Amino acid sequence: MRPSMNRPGEPDQHFALDGLDALFEAKSIAILGASSDPSKIGGRPIRFLKERGYAGGVYPVNPNHAEVQGLRAFASLDAVEGPVDLAIVALPTPGVLPALKSCVQHNVRAAVVFSAGFAEMGADGADLQRQIRELARRSGMRVLGPNCIGVVNSKQGVYASFSAVADYMADRSYRSGVAFVSQSGAVGPHCLTVARTRGLDFQTWVTTGNEADIEFADCLAYMAMDDSVKVIAAYIEGCRNGAKLKAALQLARDRGKPVIVLKTGRSTIGAQAVASHTAALVGADNVYDALFEQYNVCRVDSIEELIDTAYACSAGEYPHGNKIGILTGSGGAGILMADQAAGLGLDVAPLPETAQRKLHDLWPPAGVMNPVDTTAQTSNDPKLFEQFLDVVLNEGNYDTVVVFLTYLGLLQPWTVTMTDALIEAKRRSPGSHIVVSMLAAPEAVRRLADENILVFDDPTAAVAAVHRLGQLSSGFAGQPAIEPVAPSVVPAYDGTTLNEYDAKRLLAQAGVEVGAEAIVRSPDDAAAAAVKVGFPVVLKVASTDIQHKSEVGGVLLDVGTAAVARDGYTKILGRVALAAPDARVDGVIVAPMVTGGVETIIGVQNDPVFGPVVMFGLGGVFVEVLGDVTYRLAPFDERVALELIMGVKGSALLQGARGGPSCDLAALAKMLSQVSHFAAANADRIASIDLNPVLALPDRAVAVDALIIPKA
Amino acid sequence: MRPSMNRPGEPDQHFALDGLDALFEAKSIAILGASSDPSKIGGRPIRFLKERGYAGGVYPVNPNHAEVQGLRAFASLDAVEGPVDLAIVALPTPGVLPALKSCVQHNVRAAVVFSAGFAEMGADGADLQRQIRELARRSGMRVLGPNCIGVVNSKQGVYASFSAVADYMADRSYRSGVAFVSQSGAVGPHCLTVARTRGLDFQTWVTTGNEADIEFADCLAYMAMDDSVKVIAAYIEGCRNGAKLKAALQLARDRGKPVIVLKTGRSTIGAQAVASHTAALVGADNVYDALFEQYNVCRVDSIEELIDTAYACSAGEYPHGNKIGILTGSGGAGILMADQAAGLGLDVAPLPETAQRKLHDLWPPAGVMNPVDTTAQTSNDPKLFEQFLDVVLNEGNYDTVVVFLTYLGLLQPWTVTMTDALIEAKRRSPGSHIVVSMLAAPEAVRRLADENILVFDDPTAAVAAVHRLGQLSSGFAGQPAIEPVAPSVVPAYDGTTLNEYDAKRLLAQAGVEVGAEAIVRSPDDAAAAAVKVGFPVVLKVASTDIQHKSEVGGVLLDVGTAAVARDGYTKILGRVALAAPDARVDGVIVAPMVTGGVETIIGVQNDPVFGPVVMFGLGGVFVEVLGDVTYRLAPFDERVALELIMGVKGSALLQGARGGPSCDLAALAKMLSQVSHFAAANADRIASIDLNPVLALPDRAVAVDALIIPKA
């Protein structure tokens, strides 16, 4: 029995592993709607279970047959003797709920519902689906689907799917260690088929369908807990429960399991423009980027990349750094790979000089820097290739060595000699990481896979995979703790609408530097406050009804004397009274006129699924014209905040580019972290926060303006 | 006989087609160094020619054998009766030059030299290669190589290569219409092999080796002229003769042939930093980008993309616009493709409402907007799929329809029913463009190819191919003339070093607006000129020895009165005398103080291979921090200049973003074009030009500073 992460009364807040073992590791399976025709939906799983040698009990249930596909059939679940772990439901829509109720009565622990006709079909279907959900919640019986393709766990021989691709699952699937979780019924089998064409088997494979009960995150968590799973690949379109997904990703991360995700919906979600300035940039899809960044999830943009990366991870070997050696028999392919490696930030470091000399002596026409080019001699003299390979592996100090062998893997005798050479070289250099780009016969690919040597057709794909392995590796190495330590004081926000002055006071309590400013309610007080603050000052109207102060004439810059401040008070209130006669005015803020430094923006948007997301960007054209911003889920510590800062393309500007100042990055990072803690602690009451601008100065960072918008 | 593009006395300025027919369409072939062993370098071409049914004479030359591989052998070329078009030279290095001389004596028209040991092996080899080049130039006999893999033209049965991949060339190669030109001996055969795995055959295929005589551009030009070639794919590392490559690309463009190029060397060339401001951004690799942009060449970054695009072009059908319809049986794959299409700028427009209603009535669960999702019903009801396909093709007004059919092409009966359905639908909708993403058996792919229906395994690759086809199509449609009309007056530059004032006068003659400024040589003249120019003015030292005037105190901004101008003159000269005592000072420039508008930069760098390249960028962070610049080869017209302007990421700033002015883009484009003509006309004497800043104002564009650096 696996541990439950459920908390009483919070069924949706954490993933629920209870009963999932009955789905993925079922010891007995009943098929409701069993068909004698092995090509029918209700017949296929029976065929698969038989052909694939499932060891548990298989109980076809069909009132009209005594035998189904050579197995004894049962008129109903009542007739089945002994416990049933898993029920496969392949019935017309109206029969599904009654069937599930009978499952509950017979203590079936989990059910897979293939049948469609539920939430995807409108209100009536949605109501039926809700009843399935409630039944599952009430009874504890877990339900996968409805409207799903099912689940396969080749390790246990559980083939509870009607997808024809189960035929494609190889005998070796059970030991690949790669699990695949898909929210799409079609993308799942498609990926499995693509993977097979390049020699990668999915060990476990599940599609979640309409997610009446079991959700994507539940399956992800199960895979994270399953010791036989080493790599999790996934396809996701959306998530209704951010906390659960976060918890599942946390579990995978804690156990050092790479998660590779293809998430769709960039374009449609990008269209969901929202009103406020920050919100215009925080689309929900960006929130996924922030989530994936935080949990070291590798997000890919295509099925090819998904399969390539899962395949790369399946070897279970990760480079410890980004030094890449390139060994090639083609100068052209070497340059191509070097270009790409450099473009991805890998270090195409030259061989040490002694090694270069050694190679030159072996074969003077060779290129001996990096890429190391054996020339076409590779195919004429396999011994030379071995010698080169040894030198590059042993003396290059590379974290990964990529070997380009063009189409030699398709031709005899090379396919054998090269495969032998690679395997023996790896054995001679334990701990070395070899990735091969070669068109090769499946047998050669399999032999190399058994030695954890990866093979890619395309040299560009090979280098891209090395890059992603390195990112996953450094992500696991560099981020020990997800949950940051909160500052000692995180003030509570009561959800009222605040004027700028009050918003800043609140943020100041959270540790955000806002400058020593005053709020005044008379011309004389304005003059006195200006003297106290120190000239020049800025006067700004304070009003909960006015978000854009400049637009109503509510700002006076560069006030240099007490007299100007006194007049200014009256002038501002006069202009505001004309432009916004209904606005409640709380007074006038007298603030120091902070100049210099680099303008930045800190924003918070409260995502309905994932909670507060912090955005960072540079001011001016960077945010508004270039959209050059970074995101992270709140809360986070200062180290993560620094990643956010350094992640914007214009970050050089904060470090003295173009003759500007070297800003106090530590202070800026601290502010970002503090804002993130404040937002996280008050997530229930905040819609958004906008600190714009925040001036990054050589010795500090100051929030010059602040706006907190409460949740409606 | 093909036309010659040679001009007397300019052998390297234009590609030379003379004699290339003897290479690509040889009517008789002698093999010098012929081997009886069909696996040896000198034996393989004989085997290929025999096996592939070459119709011309094949003459093995080998003094030690009377017969080679069943053919009569000849002791020397002397013994061969009748003319020899092409000689294959497969001899040890020292024998190559004598053999080529004997070829010349026997009026052999072209030779392919497989042998290595020339320029790639150091000075002695380079000298030998130079002798080959001179022999070729003197005699008119064309030479491919040395150190090359050879040439194959399957249409004529010419297999003059020793690469084992000739075995992979299919019987249908001759009609694919795809030619491949490679500067790399290994990348060429590799690409051919990859292409074969996805059902694409290269009709003609050539590797240029060391290019002693025949260069990459010659082969490209030949393919452009060959009517049987419809698509040119190419791999290039570099080019020594830019004019020739331009002429070849022009020829392909004039004949509407797509050229797809994989060019390597981005990273190494990026390292060639140069001194001046503009130059730091104009790397030679960027010049290739400019070149390819200009000639509508599709530059790709990987072998996969190269093959995908060549394959896409091989159907010979190009979309007329960017409206894409997506028909899928998988909601997930549909979203994935829509995301990518939107990201690439394709128009994922919804179906017209009448068509939507029609589809809804056919199958209520279907998604009917775009993507159109038939749901899994596709595989249950092929008839429904046909109906959907017809509606999308006939009523969607899409330029391309992409159909996702997952792995149905691998399974019976679907592979046949779906292939039939696609073919018949296309026949019912003449002119429609269908691209399919489907894992499919080769036979299905071939059947669809015969109907010009493209098949891609990966949905992302399918959409990317649609995008590239559209780019090629609009490139051909939108750019009728390459050679722009020069302005009526393009002043000559004599190559002397000019101070800012004189540089601006020269540029003003070229039509560049530089503002009404004066050069003065006394304080009183400064005051008088300032009054005439109109306050406020700027004073700047004019000196051919001072490039960075601010650094020596040589600039005085915002001079508001005649008195300040008078004092300023003295002040500037005093500061300059201290900071740069050896500088020759020509006087002081009195210029209007132009403010407002948007800062831009126009630069010219004279590339040693391709001549003057014009760079455009926005000032400030855009160029220096973000490297946000565009390039184009000079000269170009105002329409191209506008593309340059709109091509920078920050271009919105010129159109009133962030409350700024809407700039006079026509004036800016005119200035760019005029600078390009000036640079092109004076290419022999200019090293670089730097107009920085150029202020883009609402009603004009003004070059505020100008620097012309002459060629050393």
Side-chain angles (χ1 to χ4, degrees):
Chain A
M1 194 68 171
R2 296 181 173 283
S4 167
M5 301 289 285
N6 280 351
R7 291 180 194 173
E10 288 187 333
D12 284 348
Q13 288 306 301
H14 288 75
F15 46 85
L17 293 171
D18 276 346
L20 289 192
D21 60 312
L23 179 71
F24 289 105
E25 298 172 39
K27 295 193 172 47
S28 52
I29 302 176
I31 300 93
L32 281 60
S35 170
S36 294
D37 183 345
S39 74
K40 288 262 165 70
I41 282 184
R44 279 194 208 156
I46 299 171
R47 175 167 74 83
F48 296 144
L49 290 166
K50 283 172 58 190
E51 287 179 0
R52 298 289 169 144
Y54 174 64
V58 179
Y59 310 114
V61 175
N62 187 323
N64 304 319
H65 293 76
E67 189 208 288
V68 165
Q69 296 188 46
L71 297 175
R72 179 187 160 193
F74 301 85
S76 72
L77 265 182
D78 288 333
V80 176
E81 295 150 24
V84 173
D85 261 6
L86 177 65
I88 295 172
V89 181
L91 295 165
T93 317
V96 171
L97 191 60
L100 289 175
K101 284 178 179 165
S102 77
C103 288
V104 169
Q105 279 169 2
H106 288 83
N107 295 315
V108 172
R109 297 180 55 224
V112 176
V113 181
F114 294 162
S115 322
F118 295 87
E120 83 280 10
M121 285 294 275
D124 290 352
D127 188 58
L128 258 181
Q129 185 170 316
R130 192 187 43 73
Q131 293 181 54
I132 294 177
R133 179 192 184 82
E134 282 164 9
L135 178 68
R137 290 285 188 274
R138 214 164 46 231
S139 67
M141 182 179 77
R142 304 308 305 272
V143 178
L144 183 70
N147 192 23
C148 78
I149 311 288
V151 59
V152 169
N153 180 356
S154 65
K155 201 154 184 293
Q156 312 293 334
V158 175
Y159 282 76
S161 171
F162 67 93
S163 172
V165 296
D167 280 327
Y168 280 87
M169 296 189 75
D171 288 340
R172 330 178 353 130
S173 296
Y174 67 89
R175 54 183 180 139
S176 79
V178 178
F180 188 78
V181 182
S182 174
Q183 273 189 336
S184 160
V187 170
H190 182 79
C191 289
L192 183 139
T193 314
V194 173
R196 282 292 300 138
T197 65
R198 60 186 64 188
L200 174 68
D201 302 307
F202 292 154
Q203 169 177 305
T204 309
W205 169 82
V206 60
T207 63
T208 57
N210 288 10
E211 302 192 350
D213 170 35
I214 297 173
E215 297 176 9
F216 177 87
D218 298 316
C219 296
L220 200 68
Y222 189 87
M223 301 308 170
M225 295 293 287
D226 183 342
D227 287 337
S228 74
V229 170
K230 307 296 180 204
V231 182
I232 303 170
Y235 169 86
I236 182 172
E237 292 174 3
C239 166
R240 287 169 291 193
N241 187 332
K244 198 195 229 181
L245 183 55
K246 284 201 265 188
L249 291 173
Q250 174 76 62
L251 206 53
R253 216 194 121 113
D254 287 348
R255 306 188 126 224
K257 291 192 190 178
V259 178
I260 308 133
V261 171
L262 177 62
K263 176 185 174 303
T264 53
R266 277 197 202 275
S267 59
T268 43
I269 290 169
Q272 292 172 353
V274 261
S276 89
H277 178 236
T278 307
L281 297 155
V282 180
D285 190 72
N286 291 328
V287 179
Y288 282 88
D289 280 332
L291 173 79
F292 295 152
E293 183 72 35
Q294 181 154 343
Y295 288 93
N296 194 32
V297 171
C298 177
R299 182 176 186 171
V300 294
D301 290 319
S302 72
I303 289 170
E304 293 271 354
E305 283 178 7
L306 182 71
I307 304 302
D308 275 356
T309 311
Y311 167 70
C313 290
S314 71
E317 294 188 357
Y318 297 86
H320 297 303
N322 70 345
K323 273 183 77 176
I324 184 170
I326 297 170
L327 179 62
T328 174
S330 156
I335 302 170
L336 179 63
M337 292 190 286
D339 273 353
Q340 201 211 2
L344 290 169
L346 297 172
D347 180 9
V348 191
L351 269 185
E353 280 190 23
T354 50
Q356 289 191 31
R357 267 195 300 277
K358 208 176 282 186
L359 295 184
H360 179 80
D361 292 345
L362 281 170
W363 180 239
V368 296
M369 291 275 285
N370 185 19
V372 173
D373 180 6
T374 60
T375 74
Q377 196 64 4
T378 300
S379 48
N380 298 331
D381 183 356
K383 187 77 203 154
L384 183 78
F385 170 68
E386 283 175 41
Q387 291 171 311
F388 268 63
L389 186 54
D390 277 344
V391 169
V392 173
L393 287 176
N394 296 328
E395 301 179 33
N397 302 316
Y398 296 118
D399 297 297
T400 309
V401 171
V402 180
V403 180
F404 179 76
L405 288 172
T406 181
Y407 51 82
L408 292 182
L410 294 175
L411 302 177
Q412 291 296 2
W414 296 291
T415 179
V416 171
T417 48
M418 291 300 162
T419 305
D420 287 349
L422 289 162
I423 290 172
E424 282 154 27
K426 173 135 184 171
R427 288 181 183 162
R428 283 193 300 270
S429 306
S432 61
H433 294 175
I434 303 176
V435 174
V436 181
S437 170
M438 170 170 75
L439 302 171
E443 176 53 29
V445 175
R446 264 198 298 276
R447 281 190 61 208
L448 290 166
D450 287 340
E451 304 287 332
N452 294 335
I453 297 173
L454 300 167
V455 182
F456 293 86
D457 281 4
D458 188 57
T460 306
V463 173
V466 169
H467 171 61
R468 284 193 223 101
L469 285 177
Q471 284 191 307
L472 280 166
S473 172
S474 67
F476 279 118
Q479 300 184 13
I482 282 288
E483 209 57 53
V485 179
S488 51
V489 180
V490 180
Y493 166 55
D494 61 8
T496 56
T497 303
L498 302 176
N499 65 43
E500 177 187 335
Y501 182 80
D502 292 335
K504 280 177 169 171
R505 284 329 100 191
L506 187 61
L507 288 163
Q509 290 174 46
V512 173
E513 182 166 346
V514 295
E517 51 193 46
I519 186 164
V520 296
R521 292 183 180 83
S522 75
D524 284 347
D525 284 355
V531 171
K532 197 169 164 204
V533 164
F535 294 104
V537 300
V538 182
L539 302 188
K540 298 186 271 189
V541 66
S543 166
T544 52
D545 297 329
I546 298 171
Q547 285 185 14
H548 302 289
K549 295 177 278 283
S550 296
E551 291 174 9
V552 295
V555 180
L556 213 58
L557 296 173
D558 212 7
V559 173
T561 67
V564 176
R566 187 178 289 107
D567 289 352
Y569 180 93
T570 313
K571 190 184 286 177
I572 280 183
L573 292 196
R575 291 195 296 217
V576 167
L578 273 174
D582 297 332
R584 195 196 108 169
V585 172
D586 302 325
V588 168
I589 300 167
V590 182
M593 174 96 182
V594 187
T595 53
V598 176
E599 263 194 34
T600 71
I601 296 173
I602 296 176
V604 175
Q605 197 69 17
N606 202 343
D607 187 84
V609 174
F610 293 101
V613 183
V614 178
M615 183 208 83
F616 175 76
L618 299 183
V621 297
F622 285 95
V623 167
E624 294 178 31
V625 176
L626 300 169
D628 179 22
V629 293
T630 49
Y631 303 93
R632 201 62 68 98
L633 299 185
F636 49 79
D637 62 20
E638 294 166 29
R639 194 182 50 73
V640 170
L642 203 57
E643 286 178 19
L644 234 71
I645 296 167
M646 300 312 289
V648 297
K649 295 189 190 74
S651 63
L653 270 192
L654 294 163
Q655 298 173 290
R658 304 194 69 232
S662 260
C663 304
D664 187 342
L665 296 184
L668 195 58
K670 196 172 165 205
M671 188 185 293
L672 270 163
S673 170
Q674 282 160 330
V675 169
S676 80
H677 282 289
F678 174 73
N682 295 285
D684 292 347
R685 290 168 299 282
I686 290 172
S688 68
I689 301 175
D690 201 3
L691 307 189
N692 179 12
V694 172
L695 285 181
L697 298 157
D699 57 345
R700 64 196 173 114
V702 187
V704 173
D705 199 351
L707 177 64
I708 300 174
I709 297 190
K711 259 195 178 167
Chain B
M1 194 68 170
R2 294 178 174 284
S4 167
M5 301 287 286
N6 278 353
R7 291 181 194 174
E10 286 187 336
D12 283 348
Q13 287 307 301
H14 289 76
F15 46 87
L17 292 170
D18 276 346
L20 288 192
D21 60 311
L23 179 70
F24 289 104
E25 299 173 39
K27 295 195 172 45
S28 52
I29 302 177
I31 300 93
L32 281 61
S35 170
S36 295
D37 181 343
S39 74
K40 288 263 165 71
I41 281 184
R44 279 194 208 155
I46 298 171
R47 174 167 74 81
F48 296 143
L49 289 166
K50 283 172 58 189
E51 288 178 359
R52 297 289 168 148
Y54 174 64
V58 179
Y59 309 114
V61 176
N62 187 323
N64 305 320
H65 293 78
E67 188 208 288
V68 165
Q69 298 187 46
L71 296 176
R72 179 187 161 192
F74 302 84
S76 73
L77 265 182
D78 287 334
V80 176
E81 295 150 23
V84 172
D85 260 7
L86 177 64
I88 294 172
V89 180
L91 295 164
T93 318
V96 171
L97 191 59
L100 289 174
K101 285 178 178 165
S102 78
C103 288
V104 169
Q105 278 169 3
H106 288 82
N107 295 316
V108 171
R109 296 180 55 225
V112 176
V113 181
F114 294 162
S115 322
F118 295 87
E120 83 280 10
M121 286 294 276
D124 289 353
D127 188 57
L128 257 182
Q129 185 170 316
R130 191 186 44 71
Q131 293 181 55
I132 293 177
R133 177 190 185 82
E134 283 165 6
L135 178 67
R137 290 285 188 273
R138 212 165 47 232
S139 67
M141 181 180 77
R142 305 307 307 270
V143 178
L144 183 70
N147 191 25
C148 78
I149 311 288
V151 59
V152 169
N153 180 356
S154 66
K155 202 153 184 296
Q156 311 294 332
V158 175
Y159 281 76
S161 171
F162 65 93
S163 172
V165 295
D167 281 327
Y168 280 87
M169 296 189 75
D171 287 341
R172 336 180 342 133
S173 297
Y174 68 90
R175 53 182 181 143
S176 79
V178 179
F180 189 79
V181 182
S182 174
Q183 273 190 336
S184 160
V187 169
H190 182 80
C191 289
L192 184 139
T193 314
V194 173
R196 283 291 301 137
T197 65
R198 60 186 64 188
L200 174 67
D201 302 307
F202 292 154
Q203 171 178 305
T204 310
W205 170 83
V206 59
T207 64
T208 56
N210 288 10
E211 303 192 350
D213 170 35
I214 297 173
E215 296 176 9
F216 177 88
D218 298 317
C219 296
L220 200 66
Y222 189 87
M223 301 309 171
M225 296 292 287
D226 183 342
D227 288 335
S228 74
V229 170
K230 306 296 181 202
V231 182
I232 304 170
Y235 170 87
I236 182 171
E237 291 173 5
C239 166
R240 288 169 291 193
N241 186 333
K244 199 196 231 181
L245 182 55
K246 283 201 265 188
L249 291 174
Q250 174 76 64
L251 206 53
R253 218 193 120 113
D254 287 347
R255 309 190 123 223
K257 291 192 189 177
V259 178
I260 309 133
V261 171
L262 178 62
K263 173 180 178 305
T264 54
R266 277 197 201 275
S267 61
T268 44
I269 290 170
Q272 292 172 355
V274 263
S276 88
H277 178 236
T278 307
L281 297 157
V282 180
D285 189 71
N286 292 328
V287 180
Y288 282 88
D289 281 331
L291 173 77
F292 295 152
E293 183 72 35
Q294 182 154 344
Y295 289 93
N296 194 32
V297 171
C298 177
R299 182 176 186 171
V300 294
D301 289 321
S302 72
I303 289 170
E304 294 271 353
E305 283 177 8
L306 182 70
I307 303 302
D308 275 355
T309 312
Y311 167 70
C313 290
S314 70
E317 294 187 357
Y318 297 86
H320 297 302
N322 72 344
K323 271 183 77 178
I324 184 170
I326 297 170
L327 179 63
T328 173
S330 157
I335 302 171
L336 179 63
M337 292 191 286
D339 274 354
Q340 202 212 0
L344 291 170
L346 297 172
D347 179 8
V348 191
L351 268 186
E353 280 190 22
T354 50
Q356 290 191 31
R357 268 196 299 278
K358 207 175 280 186
L359 295 183
H360 178 80
D361 292 346
L362 281 170
W363 181 239
V368 296
M369 291 276 286
N370 186 19
V372 173
D373 180 7
T374 60
T375 75
Q377 196 65 3
T378 300
S379 48
N380 297 332
D381 183 357
K383 188 75 203 155
L384 184 78
F385 170 70
E386 283 175 38
Q387 291 170 310
F388 268 63
L389 186 54
D390 277 344
V391 169
V392 174
L393 287 177
N394 296 327
E395 302 179 33
N397 302 316
Y398 296 118
D399 297 298
T400 309
V401 172
V402 180
V403 181
F404 179 76
L405 288 171
T406 180
Y407 49 82
L408 292 182
L410 293 175
L411 302 177
Q412 290 297 2
W414 296 289
T415 180
V416 171
T417 47
M418 291 300 163
T419 304
D420 287 348
L422 289 162
I423 289 172
E424 282 153 28
K426 173 138 184 169
R427 288 180 184 163
R428 282 193 299 271
S429 307
S432 62
H433 295 173
I434 304 176
V435 174
V436 181
S437 170
M438 169 170 75
L439 302 171
E443 177 52 29
V445 175
R446 264 197 299 274
R447 282 190 61 209
L448 291 167
D450 286 340
E451 305 286 332
N452 294 335
I453 297 173
L454 301 167
V455 182
F456 293 86
D457 282 3
D458 189 58
T460 306
V463 174
V466 170
H467 170 62
R468 284 193 223 101
L469 285 178
Q471 285 191 306
L472 280 165
S473 171
S474 68
F476 279 117
Q479 301 185 12
I482 282 291
E483 207 59 53
V485 178
S488 52
V489 180
V490 179
Y493 167 55
D494 62 7
T496 55
T497 303
L498 302 175
N499 65 44
E500 178 187 335
Y501 183 80
D502 293 334
K504 280 178 169 170
R505 283 328 100 191
L506 187 60
L507 287 164
Q509 289 175 45
V512 173
E513 181 166 347
V514 295
E517 50 192 48
I519 187 164
V520 296
R521 293 186 180 82
S522 76
D524 284 346
D525 285 353
V531 170
K532 197 169 165 205
V533 164
F535 295 103
V537 300
V538 183
L539 304 188
K540 299 187 271 189
V541 65
S543 166
T544 52
D545 297 330
I546 298 171
Q547 286 186 13
H548 302 288
K549 296 177 278 286
S550 296
E551 291 173 12
V552 294
V555 181
L556 213 57
L557 296 173
D558 213 7
V559 173
T561 67
V564 177
R566 186 178 288 106
D567 289 354
Y569 180 93
T570 313
K571 192 186 284 179
I572 280 183
L573 292 196
R575 291 195 297 217
V576 168
L578 273 174
D582 298 332
R584 196 197 107 169
V585 171
D586 302 324
V588 167
I589 299 166
V590 181
M593 174 97 182
V594 187
T595 54
V598 177
E599 265 194 33
T600 71
I601 297 174
I602 296 176
V604 175
Q605 198 68 18
N606 202 342
D607 188 85
V609 173
F610 292 100
V613 183
V614 178
M615 181 207 84
F616 174 75
L618 298 183
V621 297
F622 285 95
V623 168
E624 293 178 31
V625 176
L626 301 169
D628 178 22
V629 292
T630 49
Y631 303 94
R632 201 61 69 98
L633 299 185
F636 49 80
D637 62 20
E638 293 166 30
R639 194 183 50 76
V640 170
L642 202 58
E643 285 179 19
L644 234 72
I645 295 167
M646 299 313 289
V648 298
K649 295 190 190 73
S651 62
L653 271 192
L654 294 163
Q655 298 174 290
R658 304 193 72 232
S662 261
C663 304
D664 187 343
L665 297 184
L668 195 58
K670 196 172 165 207
M671 188 185 292
L672 271 162
S673 170
Q674 282 159 330
V675 169
S676 82
H677 282 290
F678 174 73
N682 295 285
D684 292 347
R685 290 167 300 282
I686 289 172
S688 69
I689 300 175
D690 201 2
L691 306 189
N692 180 10
V694 172
L695 285 181
L697 298 157
D699 57 346
R700 63 196 173 115
V702 187
V704 172
D705 200 350
L707 178 63
I708 300 173
I709 297 188
K711 261 195 176 167

